[in-house]
Amino acid sequence: MGLFGSKAPPLVGIDISSTAVKLLQLSQSGGRYRVEHYAVEPLPPNAVVEKNIVEVEAVGEAIKRAVVRSGTRLKHAAAAVAGSAVITKVIPMPGNLDEDELEDQIQLEASQYIPYPIEEVSLDFEVLGPVQGNPDMVNVLLAASRTENVEVRQSALELGGLTARVMDVEAFAMENAFALIADQLAVPRDAIVALVDVGATMTTLNVLRAQRSIYTREQVFGGKQLTDEVMRRYGLSYEEAGLAKRQGGLPESYEIEVLEPFKEAMVQQVSRLLQFFYAGSEFNRVDQIVLAGGCASIPGIAEMVEEQLGVPTIIANPLATMSLGPRVQAHALAQDAPALMIACGLALRSFD
């Protein structure tokens, strides 16, 4: 099974993050997508640490619960490995090779690019197109991940009653979902857009130019810091704090003393990530910021980022133009939508 996969039965997208399993199933008719089934199922603390699955049984159980709760009947899934676990390289190759010859050649070349023993690695490749100024050569995107990263995800899906048909890369899944929100942006299609996904423990910057990813970077920061502070300050359990964050019911001091400083910290993280990008590229600005992930749902955060960084900022909603199946609750989905970018990108693999 390759990292990119080929035409196959319809797939359910499964995003395994540090705090939850997110399941999304889409259908398509007449060029429009429809959300058929979805579920977000929380994971026990430390079952997944910084995108590494530590307790595969706990993750499998959560996938099983998500399948039941969502009502999906599909048995094939698309999942993804995190960017930090994947090496991607664009390498030029002779354009006259057929698929098998190309595969053999890449196996030979790959060892130069990959710092692990080649027998411990899952490889896949995709031909991007001719090399500029050299029509006899093609650019090939090589993606490699340690086999254990892929296998532990396959095992978790199997425990949850699903078969992994596609193993993608989170950044590519994001890019896939980004195509859905590109039309909501007030910038030209070739603009430079910073997609910032602020999850529970990790924040990922994905910079896209003309809708293709040109830079990614991860750093440890996320909503768990806010949850921890709520636990500490108000003497709540992890579950209670998470619930209170979403549903309210905290003392008035929460907004000013806890939430505001967290929002300030989040703006600083976005700013820092952009500084890394500017320092490592020829660019010194982005045209638009798109906030995704669970923390994007914090009221007023987009306005704060826009005001302090001087860049137009919106909240990602990859499902904005989709119709909803009878099993889907519109209100819950709207709240979860910014956190469903990866799940959405994976669910879209059904229509490749």
Side-chain angles (χ1 to χ4, degrees):
M1 184 197 62
L3 281 157
F4 295 115
S6 58
K7 188 73 192 130
L11 303 167
V12 55
I14 302 279
D15 172 22
I16 301 166
S17 72
S18 301
T19 55
V21 167
K22 299 163 195 146
L23 177 154
L24 189 65
Q25 180 189 336
L26 303 176
S27 64
Q28 187 184 30
S29 69
R32 273 197 73 185
Y33 295 110
R34 174 165 130 145
V35 181
E36 295 293 351
H37 299 280
Y38 107 101
V40 176
E41 196 57 46
L43 285 166
N46 302 320
V48 177
V49 177
E50 286 171 22
K51 310 251 174 125
N52 293 313
I53 296 178
V54 181
E55 295 171 28
V56 70
E57 285 83 10
V59 175
E61 285 299 318
I63 292 171
K64 195 178 283 180
R65 289 196 302 274
V67 167
V68 171
R69 176 177 298 200
S70 71
T72 182
R73 290 212 165 86
L74 296 187
K75 289 290 172 234
H76 295 109
V81 284
S84 51
V86 180
I87 295 160
T88 56
K89 273 271 186 289
V90 176
I91 49 179
M93 286 283 187
N96 58 357
L97 302 179
D98 67 26
E99 184 100 354
D100 291 341
E101 292 169 331
L102 197 57
E103 194 160 338
D104 294 343
Q105 189 69 29
I106 282 173
Q107 289 286 356
L108 288 171
E109 299 249 335
S111 53
Q112 309 175 45
Y113 300 103
I114 293 160
Y116 315 120
I118 203 80
E119 59 276 5
E120 291 175 17
V121 169
S122 295
L123 281 183
D124 202 7
F125 65 91
E126 191 169 18
V127 177
L128 299 176
V131 173
Q132 214 172 351
N134 187 350
D136 299 336
M137 301 288 278
V138 289
N139 277 324
V140 176
L141 174 65
L142 173 72
S145 181
R146 306 245 339 225
T147 303
E148 62 195 70
N149 291 320
V150 175
E151 284 173 351
V152 71
R153 278 169 169 70
Q154 285 174 300
S155 304
L157 287 164
E158 272 163 32
L159 288 168
L162 298 171
T163 306
R165 287 303 291 254
V166 172
M167 196 58 69
D168 209 332
V169 178
E170 286 187 359
F172 299 159
M174 272 286 202
E175 190 179 304
N176 225 355
F178 181 79
L180 297 174
I181 55 173
D183 302 335
Q184 301 165 27
L185 306 181
V187 290
R189 290 186 91 73
D190 61 353
I192 300 165
V193 179
L195 180 57
V196 187
D197 187 297
V198 190
T201 61
M202 301 289 277
T203 296
T204 309
L205 167 66
N206 198 342
V207 181
L208 299 108
R209 184 185 194 187
Q211 299 187 34
R212 299 295 295 196
S213 192
I214 57 169
Y215 178 91
T216 63
R217 188 183 176 101
E218 294 178 342
Q219 59 193 26
V220 177
F221 173 83
K224 189 172 178 295
Q225 278 155 270
L226 180 57
T227 312
D228 290 346
E229 181 60 20
V230 170
M231 284 166 66
R232 195 182 64 76
R233 195 174 280 246
Y234 303 114
L236 300 174
S237 74
Y238 179 77
E239 283 76 17
E240 289 167 342
L243 211 57
K245 250 173 42 173
R246 286 197 298 277
Q247 299 180 350
L250 288 165
E252 280 178 17
S253 63
Y254 167 70
E255 293 276 330
I256 293 159
E257 291 175 17
V258 183
L259 189 59
E260 279 304 309
F262 178 78
K263 284 161 77 171
E264 289 285 352
M266 191 166 146
V267 175
Q268 280 169 349
Q269 292 290 331
V270 175
S271 176
R272 264 188 63 196
L273 279 166
L274 288 175
Q275 294 310 320
F276 280 121
F277 165 61
Y278 299 146
S281 73
E282 77 258 43
F283 302 105
N284 57 10
R285 59 168 184 85
V286 293
D287 299 305
Q288 175 113 42
I289 295 171
V290 179
L291 296 177
C295 293
S297 301
I298 294 172
I301 189 67
E303 292 79 358
M304 195 166 177
V305 169
E306 181 164 327
E307 190 177 305
Q308 294 195 19
L309 303 188
V311 180
T313 303
I314 64 161
I315 305 298
N317 181 357
L319 314 172
T321 60
M322 297 189 188
S323 55
L324 306 184
R327 296 277 315 236
V328 179
Q329 295 177 323
H331 175 71
L333 186 67
Q335 206 167 5
D336 287 326
L340 293 173
M341 285 286 286
I342 291 173
C344 185
L346 293 170
L348 288 171
R349 295 299 303 267
S350 283
F351 314 110
D352 286 1

